[in-house]
Amino acid sequence: MARWDPGARDRLRRAALELYLERGFEDVPVVEIAERAGLTRRTFFRYFADKREVLFAGSERLPGAVADAFRDADGDLSAFDAVLHALTVVGAALIEYGGNARERRAVIAASPELQERERTKLAGVTAALADALRERGVADTGAQLLAQVGVAIFRTAFDRWIDHDGRADFRCCFGAVTAELRTALAGEAEIGMPAS
Amino acid sequence: MARWDPGARDRLRRAALELYLERGFEDVPVVEIAERAGLTRRTFFRYFADKREVLFAGSERLPGAVADAFRDADGDLSAFDAVLHALTVVGAALIEYGGNARERRAVIAASPELQERERTKLAGVTAALADALRERGVADTGAQLLAQVGVAIFRTAFDRWIDHDGRADFRCCFGAVTAELRTALAGEAEIGMPAS
């Protein structure tokens, strides 16, 4: 690797991603991840509960961060615009912090177990947003709907950002996806049609 | 029970729902479900792979049914309207077929394991719809987005229908939820605000 990784956690994370991509998540034992990172199995478990959590470290803070960003949104925004604001702010921060998004996505796409874990993570974000919407007075099923649709936009924007090799601005991806959904719902045009 | 249940499968399903509601999904062994239904453990396993699958029997046909309904939709509909059409048709059929939706929802809401299973089920529907959208020429991330938003509307409409004790028309619930989302996205009004 060209860059020097100062921390053990980062080295473990990179080693795990490399190995998962090479051989598949299911077939890589923890001891090999540790070896490739130049560390021991014991050190691995000081940082991560198991080999799955290497890919989800920090995600337990995501629901709270999104709910906080929702509550901090300008009071003049509509409930749904506050949802969009919160998800943009947290998404942009995520991208600052975490690299290897493309590799992580490829590893998850190849494993039903990891896809399930990813859904659980996003369900936590959805539930936190729905709670925050209810606090604001949005009725129960409406809160669920707006939270789910917000998270769908978030996922799509994140995928779009990865597809642009991280060179696009996340906020622009998010805005473009929201605009596409608005158009599709307004029934004015087909969404995402290839130019012909 | 007041009504006579002709089939063993139905009796098992009702007995399971009753017991899960009384004592929680995790704490009910298969043998008790069978006993309450007046059947043997062996008969239970002739119908269901495990006690979780009592709540998900038939759901493996859902992704295919939704994709078929999408392909059968009027060619004049926009891609997203075809998604909405497909989910309405399948939802209305589901409601004809399956009772105890309220009880089923309560049991699932009380169990993280069952919530995970429910998310896996809906992810299957989302993936099938996204594939069908791609077949129609919708670009990759756009197809994911429309499928996810369609399924979010579906879930909300189904919840709304249950909240009305099944006395509302499912198609009306679906249409009302879609209209609410349109309004929220257009930024014209707050969604689901209690009248004040």
Side-chain angles (χ1 to χ4, degrees), chain B residues 38-127:
Chain B
L39 296 164
T40 62
R41 199 170 167 285
R42 199 187 153 119
T43 307
F44 177 94
F45 286 113
R46 219 180 307 148
Y47 290 100
F48 303 106
D50 55 43
K51 67 177 192 164
R52 199 178 67 171
E53 292 312 303
V54 181
L55 299 164
F56 295 94
S59 69
E60 70 283 357
R61 292 194 300 273
L62 215 46
V66 173
D68 286 347
F70 175 86
R71 292 187 193 103
D72 290 346
D74 188 329
D76 290 342
L77 292 178
S78 74
F80 191 58
D81 283 340
V83 167
L84 298 179
H85 166 81
L87 291 167
T88 320
V89 167
V90 172
L94 261 182
I95 275 162
E96 284 295 309
Y97 158 85
N100 310 101
R102 179 185 283 274
E103 290 78 8
R104 184 179 174 280
R105 180 174 73 173
V107 169
I108 291 174
S111 160
E113 180 190 337
L114 294 176
Q115 285 166 39
E116 196 174 278
R117 178 68 181 81
E118 180 78 359
R119 284 195 293 269
T120 301
K121 180 186 94 176
L122 292 169
V125 174
T126 307

Side-chain angles (χ1 to χ4, degrees), chain A residues 142-181:
Chain A
Q144 283 285 356
L145 175 68
L146 294 191
Q148 282 168 27
V149 172
V151 170
I153 294 173
F154 177 83
R155 290 173 68 177
T156 309
F158 205 79
D159 273 331
R160 200 70 64 89
W161 178 81
I162 293 176
D163 289 339
H164 284 98
D165 288 322
R167 284 190 302 261
D169 180 69
F170 177 75
R171 288 165 192 268
C172 291
C173 294
F174 196 97
V177 170
T178 307
E180 279 180 28
L181 183 61

Side-chain angles (χ1 to χ4, degrees), chain A residues 116 141 146 160 182 185 191, chain B residues 116 141 160 182 185 191:
Chain A
E116 197 174 277
T141 50
L146 294 191
R160 200 70 64 89
R182 285 201 163 106
L185 268 162
I191 189 170
Chain B
E116 196 174 278
T141 52
R160 201 70 65 87
R182 287 202 162 106
L185 267 162
I191 188 169

Side-chain angles (χ1 to χ4, degrees), chain B residues 147-165:
Chain B
Q148 283 169 26
V149 171
V151 170
I153 294 173
F154 177 83
R155 291 173 67 176
T156 309
F158 205 79
D159 273 331
R160 201 70 65 87
W161 178 81
I162 292 176
D163 290 339
H164 284 97
D165 288 323

Side-chain angles (χ1 to χ4, degrees), chain B residues 5-27:
Chain B
D5 304 314
R9 179 191 288 276
D10 261 17
R11 290 219 304 283
L12 286 165
R13 196 163 169 274
R14 277 158 198 257
L17 269 176
E18 280 175 25
L19 284 163
Y20 296 164
L21 277 175
E22 286 167 25
R23 301 222 315 273
F25 169 76
E26 277 78 8
D27 292 334

